[in-house]
Amino acid sequence: MLSHHDRQELEKIERWFELTEPALAARLRSGRPARPPLLRLAVLLGLDLTAGLLMLLGVVVNSPALLLTGMITVTAAVIVHLSRFGRD
């Protein structure tokens, strides 16, 4: 349980958020996570599709260069998926 002083400080922070950032305060109050930015989604989908197509094409035409490029692209896609790229 919070002390009286702690509750007062939290109420001050809440009022400050509501005055300075009403959209953020509403989003925090609703408890819903934010949608991912469109740029992040586009980069992730683009990398995933490119990696898959390069690897598939490398296997179909029996090209080690295309297969290696596809594997490098898969590695880049994994790094981007695990990084904080494009997040708030």
Side-chain angles (χ1 to χ4, degrees):
M1 182 137 184
L2 297 175
S3 69
H4 180 68
H5 175 71
D6 290 340
R7 276 184 269 138
Q8 284 180 335
E9 292 300 314
L10 285 175
E11 288 171 5
K12 285 181 191 176
I13 293 170
E14 184 179 352
R15 281 193 302 271
W16 179 80
F17 266 121
E18 288 173 354
L19 291 175
T20 60
E21 297 287 336
L24 176 62
R27 193 170 17 162
L28 289 173
R29 203 175 302 113
S30 70
R32 286 179 281 146
R35 291 189 339 228
L38 291 179
L39 175 63
R40 176 180 168 78
L41 184 61
V43 168
L44 291 176
L45 287 176
L47 272 173
D48 292 343
L49 288 174
T50 303
L53 288 175
L54 283 171
M55 290 186 67
L56 181 64
L57 190 61
V59 168
V60 168
V61 298
N62 198 20
S63 171
L66 280 176
L67 192 58
L68 179 63
T69 305
M71 290 169 58
I72 292 169
T73 309
V74 166
T75 304
V78 168
I79 290 169
V80 173
H81 275 281
L82 296 177
S83 73
R84 295 191 52 82
F85 170 76
R87 293 186 188 164
D88 289 23

